[in-house]
Amino acid sequence: MLTKREAGAQFPFTSTTITDMAMGQKTIFEAVVSRVQELREQIHYHNYRYYVLDDPVISDPEFDRLLKELSRLEEEYPQLVTPDSPTQRVGAPPLDKFETVPHRQPMLSLENAFSEAEVREFDKRLKRFLRTSEEFHYVVEPKMDGCAVELVYENGRLTVGSTRGDGYRGENVTQNLKTIHTIPLEMLRHKQPPPELLEVRGEVYIDLEDFKKLNEQRLAQGEAAFANPRNAAAGSLRQLDPNITAGRPLKIYCYGVGEVQGRTFTRHWEVLEALREWGFRVNPLIEPAQGIEAAIAYHHRLEHERHGLPYEIDGMVIKVDSLALQDRLGTKARSPRWALAYKFAATQATTRVLKIEVNVGRTGAVTPMAVMEPVEVGGVTVSRATLHNEDEVARKDVRAGDFVLVQRAGDVIPEVVKVILEDRPKDARPFQMPKICPVCGTPLVRPPGEKVTRCPNPDCFGRKGSEFEGGALPRRIEHFASKTAMDIDGLGKEMILKMVSEDLVKDVSDLYKLTAEELITLTEKPDKKKKSGKLANKIIKAILNSKNPTFWRLVNALGIRLVGEAQAQILAQHFQKLEDLGEASEEKLKDIEGIGEKRAASIKDYFENQKNKEIIKKLRDAGVQERPPERRAASPLAGKSFVFTGGLARLSREEAKAMVTARGGKVSSSVSAKTDYVVVGAEPGSKYARAKELGVETLNEAEFEELIRRSG
Ligand code: IVH
């Protein structure tokens, strides 16, 4: 990281103030004019560092000071306010309607291809057209799924910005586009001068994470959610009041130019490089590709990577790099001959909801699921989709019998996007969350302010893992014996199920009473006596060996609601014995960072429960005794820095962070060259792209868990 002074030294502009200036040589007004100019250049540059490069060289307060100074001067000297001043990004008055503006060159669309055969045919067609057998240099780009815009710069200043419209005329949305921080109001000049006229083309879009937040906000305010990020981007751009647009998390990636005067280019790649130097945001995933096979290989890679990207793409674009060849190839009616959109297979499909079921999870959480007629989505057959919780079902108003649009994003469970209301059967009734647990009959609870409905019965037979049939107790034993709990090696699912069905184990403490003989009877197969004896002995040994776990493993093993491995590790920093934890006041627990109110209450509930008290006593009687907390300094993760992006499926963000900090690692919120690992979940943010750019090691959730496991 640069110190401020170093950053200042690298910074291409000076930072004098008016009072520093030699007043004798200039009138005050001249000094103001030049200071205003200087401030604008500095602000444009720092905007670019912050929003486009994601690599600021001054702090936020320093930036604010520059902006404030400029606003103050402009207030005092309103005649100096220009439309491209950074103070003018927001605050323009609402319009009655949009004017339309012509595009100097039409904004064409792209021909689509959906298969490798079509893509190879495109390449052949170009070769035939140009009568050549030489391989083309292509440029391959992600096809952003947003809203196309044109930005007109005259002598480096943004003058007009418009939507694509009918391709020949678009709506003048200049004021709205100006609110997007990744759009330069003024082109940077420090690498090359701006041409007299430049029409920049690009896609305005919204990151998936921002889209989710935007929809949550809208729902909280009683407004309708946007169906997808593309609609949200287009809708936000077409607001008559720029102040509304300013509040929307819009971004841009620029991918080409229209009319250019005062500068010539020979290759598309050169155009992209120049755009970067002028301060435009260009997708770092754009690559050159030598020949059509390289372009097809890029499609394969992109198809894999797309689910890790912070934004939606619907395919790739293949473009002939040479502008001379582009000219020779020319255009067809609506699309250029030199480019092709190679789309991905649809990840959405429609199907019918047969019924809505509720599932009970290990913690007792009750989740509604749509059971659907099987349908293929993005190459995978799906028949169930999560509906998350009661509020979500109500929001989407999904009913048994409805036709729904389902989508798969990455490897996450498919979800219902929306109901196709026109096809709703007349007798479809709204979903009602059951009042009692469908498995054990206990009345369900939904604490005020929480979204999750729960079955409060700790012995509910439905508290089973998704693939673990057999009820609550086997699942609890499996958790108790797992690697990050008591670590009882060799105790497999099948064996646990037998123990439970033979009534040998009625709660986890009974494990310590098992004898090898009893186990042999469970594993016995007439012809494999010897083998089962060996296995039984191995398990008994593992059970005995598990009697002295570290404190956090024991706490994790108990399966206290909302307390997993990470919280157990946090608690281990404050307590050394189970009894101390059991006696701790709710007040004390809730003040521990990473525990909080809900977990504190759940811990109290657990230790106050008579059955649990008995289990703990029985564990003690059996000789289970925790070791004092392990020293963490020796962990290989000590001092390593982690950044998280995207949703994790098995862990909460908080849990994952605690796993790192408990091992002496650090968690930070932004990726830099010093970051050791970026943990990438579903629908990650821009941090993922940043990690790739910087070559920082990325881990998926499973790899992260493995790393944690290996580091003790
Ligand atoms: S080039 C003449 N490059 O796709 C070529 N378009 O159907 C014009 N799009 O409306 C487009 N990402 O909004 C190009 N990297 C990319 C793109 C891209 C998304 C959109 C664009 C256009 C549509 C074409």
Side-chain angles (χ1 to χ4, degrees):
M1 189 69 185
L2 294 173
T3 63
K4 259 184 223 160
R5 205 177 292 257
E6 283 165 335
Q10 291 199 342
F11 176 64
F13 310 104
T14 56
S15 63
T16 46
T17 63
I18 294 169
T19 45
D20 293 336
M21 288 182 179
M23 289 300 178
Q25 289 159 25
K26 281 187 183 175
T27 64
I28 290 197
F29 185 69
E30 275 168 354
V32 170
V33 171
S34 82
R35 178 64 184 156
V36 162
Q37 181 56 24
E38 188 178 64
L39 281 167
R40 283 183 191 157
E41 281 179 7
Q42 290 188 11
I43 292 167
H44 284 312
Y45 179 74
H46 289 304
N47 241 323
Y48 163 74
R49 301 278 334 190
Y50 186 91
Y51 288 107
V52 179
L53 298 187
D54 203 2
D55 184 22
V57 286
I58 60 169
S59 66
D60 290 356
E62 280 169 311
F63 181 83
D64 290 342
R65 265 204 295 282
L66 295 175
L67 201 59
K68 264 211 193 105
E69 189 187 341
L70 179 62
S71 311
R72 196 171 49 76
L73 289 175
E74 287 183 352
E75 246 169 60
E76 239 175 278
Y77 299 89
Q79 69 272 41
L80 295 183
V81 178
T82 58
D84 60 317
S85 171
T87 56
Q88 304 300 300
R89 274 206 193 266
V90 286
L95 301 171
D96 292 333
K97 68 178 187 61
F98 293 116
E99 304 294 331
T100 64
V101 282
H103 302 301
R104 288 180 178 79
Q105 288 187 12
M107 287 182 78
L108 300 171
S109 59
L110 290 167
E111 183 187 327
N112 287 329
F114 291 92
S115 67
E116 292 185 16
E118 287 171 90
V119 175
R120 292 198 179 95
E121 184 46 43
F122 158 79
D123 181 67
K124 277 196 197 136
R125 202 166 62 218
L126 299 196
K127 285 177 181 155
R128 272 200 305 272
F129 193 94
L130 295 172
R131 292 178 213 285
T132 176
S133 56
E134 256 179 62
E135 293 300 334
F136 291 107
H137 288 278
Y138 288 112
V139 173
V140 288
E141 312 181 353
K143 187 169 185 301
M144 302 299 299
D145 200 6
C147 183
V149 296
E150 174 171 273
L151 308 166
V152 182
Y153 288 81
E154 289 169 67
N155 296 312
R157 293 197 167 159
L158 175 62
T159 49
V160 178
S162 55
T163 59
R164 177 163 174 267
D166 63 3
Y168 299 94
R169 294 185 76 88
E171 283 167 315
N172 184 337
V173 287
T174 313
Q175 290 308 334
N176 291 347
L177 287 168
K178 278 188 174 176
T179 67
I180 303 175
H181 285 280
T182 41
I183 293 182
L185 298 178
E186 191 152 341
M187 289 162 60
L188 293 180
R189 301 157 187 265
H190 63 294
K191 293 240 170 95
Q192 52 175 312
E196 288 143 41
L197 178 80
L198 177 72
E199 290 180 349
V200 179
R201 307 261 168 98
E203 195 89 348
V204 167
Y205 69 95
I206 293 185
D207 274 335
L208 286 157
E209 220 168 282
D210 290 333
F211 167 71
K212 244 197 244 159
K213 277 190 224 142
L214 175 64
N215 264 356
E216 280 166 16
Q217 260 172 26
R218 285 175 69 84
L219 290 169
Q221 288 160 7
E223 292 166 289
F226 287 113
N228 53 48
R230 178 170 19 91
N231 287 0
S236 301
L237 208 52
R238 298 186 67 260
Q239 291 292 327
L240 289 167
D241 182 355
N243 290 300
I244 298 182
T245 311
R248 302 283 171 80
L250 297 169
K251 289 186 176 170
I252 192 168
Y253 268 135
C254 298
Y255 51 66
V257 292
E259 176 108 349
V260 186
Q261 288 167 14
R263 170 77 155 89
T264 52
F265 297 103
T266 58
R267 296 187 304 133
H268 176 58
W269 187 258
E270 191 191 349
V271 171
L272 298 176
E273 295 272 85
L275 287 176
R276 277 201 184 100
E277 294 191 355
W278 282 322
F280 295 95
R281 201 157 166 264
V282 176
N283 196 322
L285 299 179
I286 298 180
E287 285 180 16
Q290 175 64 16
I292 201 67
E293 294 308 317
I296 291 173
Y298 179 84
H299 188 267
H300 286 301
R301 257 185 296 141
L302 210 54
E303 207 159 31
H304 267 102
E305 283 174 20
R306 68 184 285 212
H307 299 302
L309 295 176
Y311 43 77
E312 271 192 353
I313 57 176
D314 56 349
M316 68 178 284
V317 184
I318 306 173
K319 298 177 182 172
V320 170
D321 190 24
S322 156
L323 300 186
L325 290 184
Q326 284 191 8
D327 265 355
R328 281 177 60 196
L329 287 160
T331 61
K332 295 184 287 182
R334 301 284 297 162
S335 58
R337 228 175 249 112
W338 46 264
L340 182 74
Y342 181 9
K343 298 277 206 78
F344 296 130
T347 51
Q348 292 192 332
T350 43
T351 185
R352 187 170 203 160
V353 176
L354 302 172
K355 60 177 174 176
I356 298 176
E357 267 186 5
V358 294
N359 273 14
V360 186
R362 183 173 68 81
T363 59
V366 176
T367 312
M369 301 278 282
V371 179
M372 308 168 304
E373 265 168 22
V375 63
E376 201 181 293
V377 189
V380 174
T381 305
V382 303
S383 58
R384 297 167 76 81
T386 177
L387 293 166
H388 303 289
N389 55 51
E390 188 179 9
D391 290 354
E392 269 294 297
V393 188
R395 182 172 79 79
K396 291 180 176 156
D397 190 18
V398 182
R399 306 179 183 188
D402 271 342
F403 283 89
V404 287
L405 185 67
V406 284
Q407 97 178 351
R408 230 167 45 88
D411 293 323
V412 298
I413 316 167
E415 60 173 8
V416 170
V417 181
K418 63 169 183 181
V419 172
I420 298 161
L421 282 175
E422 303 86 85
D423 296 339
R424 168 167 284 169
K426 282 207 177 60
D427 56 351
R429 295 272 155 270
F431 169 76
Q432 290 247 307
M433 196 70 167
K435 297 272 175 293
I436 58 166
C437 174
V439 181
C440 70
T442 308
L444 296 177
V445 290
R446 182 177 166 189
E450 277 193 32
K451 290 202 156 144
V452 179
T453 306
R454 284 177 201 287
C455 168
N457 172 13
D459 294 321
C460 170
F461 207 63
R463 289 190 178 204
K464 58 187 181 188
S466 52
E467 47 11 325
F468 201 110
E469 298 301 327
L473 185 56
R475 182 67 191 84
R476 292 192 141 222
I477 297 172
E478 192 201 23
H479 173 71
F480 185 83
S482 65
K483 280 253 168 304
T484 55
M486 304 299 271
D487 194 12
I488 303 175
D489 208 20
L491 195 55
K493 285 180 187 169
E494 211 180 319
M495 177 71 88
I496 295 175
L497 278 176
K498 281 189 190 153
M499 288 172 180
V500 173
S501 59
E502 296 287 317
D503 260 0
L504 285 176
V505 179
K506 296 199 189 67
D507 65 56
V508 290
S509 71
D510 289 338
L511 286 175
Y512 295 96
K513 291 189 190 144
L514 287 171
T515 63
E517 287 68 38
E518 284 169 332
L519 283 190
I520 290 173
T521 58
L522 294 181
T523 51
E524 199 163 285
K525 288 185 187 142
D527 51 332
K528 288 186 183 163
K529 253 201 172 138
K530 245 189 165 163
K531 212 174 160 200
S532 39
K534 239 179 154 177
L535 177 64
N537 277 319
K538 190 181 148 216
I539 295 174
I540 294 293
K541 212 168 146 200
I543 293 176
L544 290 179
N545 280 342
S546 75
K547 282 188 182 178
N548 290 111
T550 48
F551 174 74
W552 73 264
R553 285 178 191 274
L554 178 58
V555 173
N556 184 32
L558 295 178
I560 303 170
R561 188 169 81 80
L562 302 178
V563 178
E565 182 187 345
Q567 290 75 31
Q569 292 193 7
I570 294 173
L571 292 168
Q573 292 166 11
H574 298 264
F575 305 96
Q576 310 221 334
K577 276 176 61 197
L578 216 48
E579 286 70 17
D580 296 344
L581 175 63
E583 282 159 21
S585 69
E586 202 167 326
E587 286 299 297
K588 175 169 178 185
L589 289 168
K590 115 176 165 333
D591 287 341
I592 297 176
E593 194 172 334
I595 299 298
E597 219 164 278
K598 285 182 194 159
R599 293 200 170 96
S602 166
I603 295 168
K604 275 320 308 162
D605 281 353
Y606 179 89
F607 284 99
E608 276 163 14
N609 178 301
Q610 199 46 43
K611 253 190 199 159
N612 294 335
K613 281 185 187 167
E614 278 163 29
I615 292 175
I616 292 172
K617 172 147 194 324
K618 279 162 73 184
L619 286 173
R620 290 296 190 219
D621 291 346
V624 172
Q625 198 62 54
E626 56 274 33
R627 276 183 279 144
E630 281 161 358
R631 286 187 150 268
R632 289 259 163 239
S635 166
L637 296 189
K640 298 271 188 240
S641 83
F642 284 71
V643 172
F644 289 90
T645 176
L648 300 176
R650 282 173 34 88
L651 302 168
S652 71
R653 195 52 90 76
E654 216 176 311
E655 270 175 308
K657 283 181 178 173
M659 287 176 165
V660 171
T661 49
R663 286 164 178 78
K666 290 176 297 193
V667 176
S668 61
S669 56
S670 64
V671 182
S672 77
K674 289 199 181 143
T675 308
D676 292 294
Y677 301 102
V678 174
V679 182
V680 183
E683 301 178 358
S686 58
K687 292 172 199 167
Y688 176 59
R690 181 89 182 119
K692 296 210 68 168
E693 230 174 86
L694 292 174
V696 174
E697 186 169 347
T698 57
L699 301 172
N700 64 26
E701 188 166 356
E703 289 163 342
F704 170 69
E705 285 186 15
E706 180 57 33
L707 182 69
I708 291 290
R709 215 166 284 134
R710 276 193 278 117
S711 57

